[in-house]
Amino acid sequence: MTMSTPEEKNKTGLPLVHLGIARPEELAPLFADLRGRFDEECACACDESSWKQFRDTWLGRKSGVLTQITDNWLKPATQELKRVVGQELNQLRAHVESNIEERRKSIEAGADETASARERVDLSLPGVIRPIGSHHLIRQVLQQIEDIFFSIGFSVVEGPEIETPYYNFEALNIPEFHPVRDDMDTFYLDLPKGAPQPLLLRTHTSPMQIRTMEKRQPPVRVIVPGKVYRRDNPDATHSFIFHQVEGLAVDNDITFCDFTGTIEYFVKQFFGPGVKTRFRPSYFPFTEPSVEFDVSCIFCGGSGAAAGGGTCSKCKGSGWIELFGAGMVDPAVYGFVKYDPKKVSGFAFGMGIDRLAMLKYGIDDIQVFFQNDARFLRQFP
Amino acid sequence: MKIVYNWLKDFVDVKATPDELASRLALSGTNIGGIENGPHGAVIDAEVSSNRPDSLGHYGIAREISAIYKLPLKPVTPKPKESTAAKAADAAHVEIQSPELCGRFTARVIRGAKIQPSPQWLKDRLEASGVASINNVVDATNYVMLELGHALHAFDYDKVRDHRIVVRRAKPSEKIRTLDGIERILAPGICVISDGDSSRAVGIGGIMGGAETEISFSTKNILLECAWFEPVAIRRAARALKLHTEASTRFGRGADPEMAELASRRCSELILQLAGGELLSGVVDIYPGKRAPKKILLTRAELLRIMGADVPDKEIESSLSALGFSPVRVDQNRGAEGSLLAAWECTQPSWRADVEREIDLIEEVARIYGLDKFPPRLPAARQGAARLPHYEAEARLRERLIGLGYQEILTIPHVAEDRDALFRPPDVQPARLANPLSEEANVLKSTGIVTMTTALEWNLNRGQRNVRLFEIGRHYRLRGSESIETPILTIGATGQAREKGLYETAREYSFADLKGDIDALGAFAGGSTWNEGGSAWLNPAGRGRIALHNEAIGEAGELTRRVAEQLKLRQEIFLAELQLAPLYSAIREAKESRKYQPLPRFPGVERDFSLLLADGTHFSDVVAAIRALNIQEIANMEAVDLYRGKNVPAGQYSLLVRVTFQSRETTLTEAQLTDFSARIITALEKQLSAHLRST
Ligand SMILES: [Zn+2]
């Protein structure tokens, strides 16, 4: 049974007694060995970093070879040996110090500029490659949108994906049998008999408008990122799940001009200052006036013409791309949350993130977002 | 709705080209799907929003154009020649028994018409509109529908028993064969047009006529129905019958009750022109749903409050007039142009049921004036903005996982029931869908693991062998009739942890990689601990439960071969799932309570103990035995090497434990270190029957 220390075992680490040396004449070969080892290592120290390591090995204050000799050989030596060890040590020290300094000078003088091709690194080879992951593209786009709106005073809130018809429809001024419900074909949950109310997968992030206003008094400025679901058969441009960012601003002085200004600010931050915008009147039950928001086509620069002739396929030649729906909050909605529609006004918008990401990055199949192919994920680190 | 450009010219003298016109229509609220140039001129495809049934006819579009371009709209005033001898009222009888479903029913009678193919000009317009030509009378009803936006129906007068129409609710499981030849079963709540003693259904009100009374080439006398049906009832009925027609679209969105008589007159005029015959004088007009037009006030103050910029008086008045709202200034400052107190009393036209409130009038004014005339501005924020409470914790977890080599994924929560069941804890109630798109997607994932394995499978099937993934998402469960969405972090990994490269050898991903990476996340939360156990889908020899401050937050391990084989995953799969809410709050607390530790001033000394331990003795047992000695100077204990095999007796393994001693007060002496080591060795020998290995 033994116990070991982790330190390297070499001769300078042990007292002379342990090396079996008792007579002064036995010292000379010992020091000669060391000098030989030094010269060998010196020849190998041909750049700055290896030179530093070499210097520390020999002259390091704590555990350099010279320090070890002083601590382990000289200090515990018998009177008889001490004198000779001292002499030998001084000679070795002089040799070591002068050669180390020489070496430094020669390295600095660029002597190693002439190092052989074999010794040089091949810069065309890769370094050590550590596997590094990636952010999902949708997550990146969501973050960018969140940051833009956060910078102009919008807080971020989240809500349930499983909703009640009240929050998803009724409180947003969409009663049962409203034609808009036909456009939002909805998934319902299979609940046990006697369930107090049906549950559905939210078809938009708008329910959080209601939930937020129920909890907070104006001023309200929030965005709501999240997943939404519509019962569409999947293809390249449809998915029954996609991501939305809902926005809502309500205060006692918010106007249509504030609304268009906010949206324009966002779009120029997101797509760049060169993009043109337009608002077209539209219809949503929970906004009035309602608009569809278009940006100039980022593929043809708004000309409507394809680069190779013919019409641009992305905007069908119109020069515009429809981005999302929005509008001033319909006063009927305030009735559901007990705000006074005569005192407050505001705007709301709901943008599809998947579509924004597809436009911005030229993705032609929405399904790639959910297949999670590592090769796709790696494209957007 | 297909808009035939030349047809518009019947009502408004528009000079703009079809392209210009389409663009102006789009910017004033009529969504344009495209323009086609066909044999009958330009046809604009208008995607009319559901609140604007008035735009489902050329006349309504012409009214929009007259407002946009400030052009006069030609009135529609048909004056068909009527019989001097016979009255419609004597020839036909109408009774409405369900005024809640049918607010108006008009009937005209034409005798001696000659049913024949329509003339070319009529066929052309119908064809351009995408409507098939049938015969001159049916075509006349369709033509008027496309022109005025109101659906009509022509009966063979002689097939209507007693020449009597009764409008009523359907009887339970009442049957009718509709014009398309399909026998349909009706439900109460559906409006039925019946004849004679009202026992026979001859039409589904506002949706489709019946086959038994339809116009044929032998028809001589015509009973022309032009009615108004309640929109919600129509939508309900159309949805229940799965029967969506041009008529149900128009009535379902809210047709114009005043238009019923006008459209009937226009259609009679057209039938006389196309098929000849004699129009009996007058009209049978039962109108229980007649309502006085509503007055709506528009004030400049409200317009400014909502829109944020002004619109000149003239623009307000001309656009509202053109749209039929007959605005009248009613404020005390009448005559003062641009007055801030200006108010207009408007009359809601019968074709605009969607405009009931001041805000609706504001929208009308704004869209005709032009939304681009309201200058955009960025409003000042009055409050600080807040991120989500877990924003920072989530971001740090995500960044660390990515740094550790994991790729973030997003999965669709809809999964197959049997696949979900593989990972679902036995006491969990899944969130099944009542109306799934397919059996492959009939339940919402009750764990994140189920979709994680799908993502791994996708990659393995595509030659991506070394994959490390994570998802920050939710799982979905039910408790009774309540839904529970739980935020979770799911991790999945397979293949090599390190691929062979220029400088390193390849190494397979192992449980230790997973544990180390999870502990790297746990470090944010002040450290995670591991306990025995885990779900049945995890290999009992390579799994564990993860806890923060003794609260279990998840589990991790290797997928059992049984499940891997079921999923056809042919290499070792490692999975973990952690609940995020407790993790987030622990991260927040750890961050708030973290304090600076002064750095030690005296050197630490390491001592290695090479131990032979019996299988089943854990590193944690060694740590506990040493801890029990209560040596304050022990700063750290770590396992640095583990070995089984050659030179190690069966049933035992070799573990190299490194202990670091450090004092805050002094440099430790050799004597102290020797004493510590001796005590440690004794304790390990006694309590764990450990043997110190010779080197
Ligand atoms: Zn384009």
Side-chain angles (χ1 to χ4, degrees):
Chain A
M1 274 197 351
T2 63
M3 210 185 67
S4 66
T5 60
E7 286 110 79
E8 186 199 2
K9 275 190 204 161
N10 66 43
K11 291 181 177 177
T12 55
L14 299 170
L16 290 173
V17 203
H18 288 239
L19 298 174
I21 289 175
R23 289 171 295 142
E25 56 269 31
E26 288 169 331
L27 286 166
L30 206 57
F31 276 93
D33 273 0
L34 279 171
R35 189 183 283 238
R37 193 181 126 203
F38 173 83
D39 291 344
E40 236 168 72
E41 288 180 18
C42 188
C44 295
C46 48
D47 62 19
E48 207 187 314
S49 80
S50 60
W51 175 83
K52 278 186 177 159
Q53 207 184 341
F54 165 62
R55 180 198 58 190
D56 294 345
T57 307
W58 289 88
L59 295 178
R61 199 173 296 167
K62 208 179 130 200
S63 56
V65 174
L66 297 185
T67 306
Q68 286 188 14
I69 295 174
T70 310
D71 291 350
N72 299 330
W73 291 359
L74 184 65
K75 284 181 185 166
T78 58
Q79 278 305 328
E80 189 191 2
L81 289 173
K82 207 164 215 164
R83 192 182 52 84
V84 183
V85 171
Q87 278 170 1
E88 289 281 354
L89 180 58
N90 283 344
Q91 280 171 20
L92 181 65
R93 187 186 301 281
H95 178 78
V96 164
E97 284 176 348
S98 70
N99 276 282
I100 281 179
E101 182 56 16
E102 281 291 302
R103 198 69 199 161
R104 184 184 65 82
K105 281 184 186 150
S106 98
I107 288 170
E108 274 177 12
D112 293 298
E113 286 294 315
T114 56
S116 68
R118 194 176 68 88
E119 292 170 309
R120 291 191 169 201
V121 295
D122 176 354
L123 288 176
S124 65
L125 284 176
V128 174
I129 299 165
R130 300 174 210 289
I132 293 181
S134 51
H135 297 81
H136 195 282
L137 183 58
I138 293 287
R139 191 52 241 171
Q140 295 182 41
V141 175
L142 276 171
Q143 190 62 56
Q144 192 189 351
I145 293 170
E146 195 177 303
D147 290 346
I148 294 170
F149 281 104
F150 183 73
S151 76
I152 51 171
F154 282 77
S155 294
V156 185
V157 294
E158 277 184 340
E161 292 166 32
I162 300 174
E163 267 293 2
T164 63
Y166 176 78
Y167 285 107
N168 196 72
F169 293 124
E170 268 102 66
L172 289 160
N173 203 24
I174 313 174
E176 208 181 352
F177 296 104
H178 193 288
V180 161
R181 287 206 187 185
D182 299 343
D183 302 332
M184 296 193 194
D185 203 355
T186 310
F187 285 110
Y188 285 87
L189 291 196
D190 183 12
L191 295 179
K193 276 204 180 78
Q197 59 184 349
L199 292 176
L200 50 80
L201 291 181
R202 65 179 175 190
T203 56
H204 45 190
T205 38
S206 311
M208 273 309 285
Q209 287 188 31
I210 305 302
R211 290 183 180 276
T212 303
M213 288 191 282
E214 279 179 345
K215 273 195 224 128
R216 303 183 188 183
Q217 285 303 305
V220 168
R221 270 192 202 197
V222 293
I223 55 165
V224 192
K227 293 182 163 83
V228 300
Y229 304 87
R230 294 194 191 165
R231 204 174 162 281
D232 283 332
N233 280 304
D235 61 26
T237 53
H238 293 86
S239 168
F240 57 75
I241 172 175
F242 56 99
H243 297 80
Q244 266 193 344
V245 171
E246 188 81 7
L248 174 72
V250 179
D251 205 341
N252 52 24
D253 58 357
I254 298 267
T255 69
F256 187 82
C257 298
D258 297 319
F259 157 57
T260 54
T262 303
I263 299 297
E264 283 204 354
Y265 175 82
F266 161 72
V267 167
K268 291 196 194 280
Q269 293 288 311
F270 189 81
F271 284 111
V275 72
K276 289 193 286 292
T277 60
R278 73 173 190 187
F279 294 86
R280 280 181 295 115
S282 185
Y283 171 67
F284 305 104
F286 39 99
T287 48
E288 184 88 353
S290 301
V291 301
E292 286 286 352
F293 174 66
D294 299 344
V295 290
S296 53
C297 177
I298 53 178
F299 297 96
C300 61
S303 69
T311 52
C312 169
S313 62
K314 302 286 179 173
C315 62
K316 296 185 188 112
S318 72
W320 295 96
I321 287 185
E322 189 176 311
L323 271 197
F324 53 82
M328 300 300 286
V329 176
D330 193 296
V333 172
Y334 295 133
F336 288 96
V337 298
K338 303 191 173 64
Y339 280 12
D340 184 348
K342 291 194 175 63
K343 292 201 176 121
V344 300
S345 54
F347 61 83
F349 56 85
M351 56 178 96
I353 303 314
D354 311 61
R355 195 174 137 70
L356 282 182
M358 289 170 81
L359 283 173
K360 187 160 173 167
Y361 297 99
I363 292 167
D364 55 9
D365 182 1
I366 193 172
Q367 303 301 331
V368 296
F369 291 133
F370 304 104
Q371 288 160 351
N372 299 304
D373 194 301
R375 295 163 297 181
F376 166 74
L377 300 172
R378 270 196 289 274
Q379 286 182 32
F380 302 94
Chain B
M1 166 80 191
K2 289 194 186 306
I3 307 168
V4 181
Y5 177 74
N6 292 325
W7 200 335
L8 293 170
K9 296 204 168 195
D10 291 3
F11 306 109
V12 64
D13 193 16
V14 60
K15 297 277 196 295
T17 65
D19 281 325
E20 278 167 31
L21 180 63
S23 143
R24 287 294 296 273
L25 281 169
L27 289 175
S28 64
T30 308
N31 195 27
I32 302 300
I35 305 173
E36 270 174 52
N37 282 296
H40 315 299
V43 177
I44 301 169
D45 186 15
E47 293 160 356
V48 175
S49 57
S50 63
N51 63 325
R52 292 298 303 277
D54 65 301
S55 287
L56 291 172
H58 284 76
Y59 192 67
I61 297 288
R63 188 189 291 116
E64 287 286 307
I65 294 167
S66 91
I68 300 166
Y69 288 97
K70 300 193 168 61
L71 294 169
L73 179 69
K74 291 171 197 163
V76 180
T77 52
K79 291 191 186 74
K81 187 173 174 290
E82 292 189 349
S83 162
T84 48
K87 287 185 193 162
D90 297 329
H93 308 278
V94 173
E95 183 190 344
I96 298 179
Q97 290 180 352
S98 53
E100 73 285 3
L101 300 180
C102 176
R104 189 177 191 183
F105 196 103
T106 72
R108 278 191 161 86
V109 178
I110 296 161
R111 281 189 182 146
K114 187 160 191 289
I115 311 299
Q116 55 193 7
S118 291
Q120 197 58 43
W121 68 265
L122 178 54
K123 284 182 175 172
D124 286 350
R125 280 201 170 171
L126 291 180
E127 187 185 80
S129 304
V131 173
S133 171
I134 294 164
N135 59 50
N136 52 0
V137 171
V138 173
D139 288 358
T141 61
N142 284 332
Y143 184 89
V144 172
M145 177 184 76
L146 297 171
E147 182 174 77
L148 301 179
H150 203 101
L152 304 94
H153 180 68
F155 292 96
D156 185 326
Y157 174 83
D158 299 307
K159 290 181 184 158
V160 175
R161 295 182 305 167
D162 308 336
H163 314 308
R164 183 164 182 271
I165 294 284
V166 178
V167 184
R168 58 165 171 80
R169 285 175 172 268
K171 297 170 198 150
S173 14
E174 184 168 6
K175 284 182 191 152
I176 181 173
R177 195 156 62 83
T178 41
L179 281 176
D180 51 11
I182 296 170
E183 186 169 87
R184 298 177 188 275
I185 298 164
L186 307 177
I190 294 180
C191 183
V192 160
I193 314 296
S194 62
D195 70 348
D197 59 0
S198 90
S199 61
R200 177 177 76 159
V202 294
I204 306 172
I207 298 180
M208 193 178 268
E212 291 175 21
T213 51
E214 86 180 288
I215 301 283
S216 66
F217 280 97
S218 61
T219 299
K220 290 189 179 59
N221 305 317
I222 297 156
L223 188 152
L224 186 64
E225 165 200 326
C226 194
W228 185 88
F229 299 95
E230 212 286 314
V232 172
I234 292 290
R235 286 201 297 274
R236 252 183 231 255
R239 202 186 293 178
L241 293 165
K242 295 194 175 67
L243 180 58
H244 297 273
T245 61
E246 295 276 348
S248 74
T249 301
R250 286 171 174 80
F251 289 118
R253 293 180 180 188
D256 175 5
E258 290 298 306
M259 180 58 86
E261 190 280 325
L262 178 64
S264 160
R265 205 164 1 116
R266 169 73 179 120
C267 191
S268 304
E269 180 184 62
L270 202 53
I271 290 171
L272 293 184
Q273 180 192 332
L274 299 170
E278 178 192 33
L279 172 66
L280 304 198
S281 76
V283 59
V284 180
D285 186 358
I286 311 297
Y287 195 174
K290 189 170 175 67
R291 262 168 287 187
K294 190 173 177 175
K295 302 287 183 192
I296 316 162
L297 197 69
L298 171 66
T299 62
R300 169 162 278 121
E302 185 67 0
L303 176 86
L304 282 170
R305 187 176 81 90
I306 299 297
M307 297 306 294
D310 206 359
V311 181
D313 287 12
K314 266 190 206 153
E315 294 285 341
I316 293 175
E317 285 162 12
S318 72
S319 46
L320 288 176
S321 297
L323 294 171
F325 290 93
S326 318
V328 180
R329 271 288 284 274
V330 289
D331 54 292
Q332 305 206 323
N333 293 14
R334 278 192 295 273
E337 237 185 76
S339 166
L340 283 176
L341 299 173
W344 291 266
E345 187 181 75
C346 300
T347 307
Q348 180 189 26
S350 57
W351 57 87
R352 290 301 301 273
D354 62 309
V355 177
E356 295 181 299
R357 307 164 299 173
E358 187 170 20
I359 189 73
D360 302 324
L361 288 175
I362 291 171
E363 177 172 52
E364 294 301 299
V365 169
R367 72 180 180 88
I368 298 296
Y369 183 52
L371 297 182
D372 56 333
K373 299 210 177 72
F374 298 89
R377 63 171 169 250
L378 197 57
R382 296 211 284 131
Q383 274 184 330
R387 301 277 193 182
L388 287 169
H390 58 262
Y391 169 76
E392 191 190 341
E394 183 185 322
R396 300 198 73 177
L397 288 181
R398 176 178 284 112
E399 294 306 328
R400 180 153 290 186
L401 278 160
I402 289 168
L404 290 168
Y406 294 84
Q407 293 179 296
E408 183 174 28
I409 63 168
L410 287 174
T411 62
I412 300 177
H414 301 51
V415 296
E417 164 88 55
D418 54 346
R419 194 152 175 151
D420 188 63
L422 288 175
F423 304 102
R424 189 194 305 147
D427 51 339
V428 161
Q429 187 189 346
R432 290 191 185 87
L433 292 167
N435 57 342
L437 274 172
S438 76
E439 292 306 303
E440 293 303 300
N442 58 358
V443 60
L444 299 180
K445 61 176 178 183
S446 60
T447 62
I449 298 292
V450 58
T451 50
M452 177 56 74
T453 55
T454 309
L456 290 171
E457 183 186 346
W458 173 280
N459 281 292
L460 291 176
N461 288 343
R462 281 158 188 81
Q464 303 291 300
R465 217 199 131 246
N466 309 320
V467 198
R468 265 182 264 186
L469 306 175
F470 75 99
E471 181 174 28
I472 292 176
R474 299 176 182 184
H475 63 52
Y476 310 82
R477 297 172 179 181
L478 289 184
R479 186 161 50 214
S481 335
E482 235 181 277
S483 61
I484 304 164
E485 297 172 43
T486 309
I488 43 157
L489 166 65
T490 311
I491 295 175
T494 187
Q496 292 173 346
R498 196 175 59 211
E499 293 180 46
K500 191 196 164 327
L502 285 168
Y503 317 100
E504 288 169 311
T505 52
R507 185 170 67 71
E508 289 290 310
Y509 190 98
S510 70
F511 179 81
D513 286 288
L514 184 59
K515 181 170 192 284
D517 292 344
I518 288 171
D519 285 340
L521 304 179
F524 283 131
S528 36
T529 52
W530 292 71
N531 300 306
E532 298 286 333
S535 293
W537 44 269
L538 285 173
N539 180 353
R543 70 179 181 195
R545 294 191 193 282
I546 303 142
L548 290 175
H549 313 303
N550 296 323
E551 186 196 352
I553 62 157
E555 58 185 324
E558 187 196 337
L559 186 64
T560 57
R561 205 154 295 164
R562 171 183 63 86
V563 177
E565 256 157 40
Q566 258 174 294
L567 300 178
K568 302 198 173 60
L569 295 167
R570 307 222 188 277
Q571 57 185 50
E572 287 182 349
I573 304 285
F574 294 89
L575 296 162
E577 185 152 308
L578 305 181
Q579 292 202 27
L580 283 171
L583 185 54
Y584 288 154
S585 65
I587 290 174
R588 218 171 17 245
E589 280 163 30
K591 187 195 166 199
E592 293 311 316
S593 62
R594 210 162 270 143
K595 288 280 182 287
Y596 168 69
Q597 294 285 319
L599 301 178
R601 290 164 54 218
F602 301 97
V605 183
E606 290 170 354
R607 286 287 180 271
D608 288 359
F609 299 86
S610 179
L611 305 169
L612 273 177
L613 296 167
D615 283 339
T617 305
H618 294 169
F619 176 58
S620 58
D621 300 327
V622 174
V623 170
I626 298 176
R627 279 251 179 278
L629 294 169
N630 224 358
I631 300 171
Q632 298 303 318
E633 288 80 0
I634 293 178
N636 191 34
M637 285 179 267
E638 56 188 327
V640 289
D641 192 27
L642 192 150
Y643 179 74
R644 277 191 169 86
K646 210 179 142 195
N647 298 335
V648 175
Q652 294 191 336
Y653 71 105
S654 154
L655 183 70
L656 186 65
V657 175
R658 179 168 297 165
V659 180
T660 308
F661 299 95
Q662 192 159 39
S663 162
R664 296 216 156 260
E665 282 91 36
T666 173
T667 303
L668 296 172
T669 65
E670 194 57 45
Q672 279 175 299
L673 293 170
T674 308
D675 171 54
F676 295 154
S677 297
R679 284 162 65 194
I680 288 171
I681 290 164
T682 312
L684 295 178
E685 280 174 341
K686 274 203 177 140
Q687 291 169 38
L688 305 177
S689 311
H691 296 278
L692 216 56
R693 289 186 82 201
S694 45
T695 43

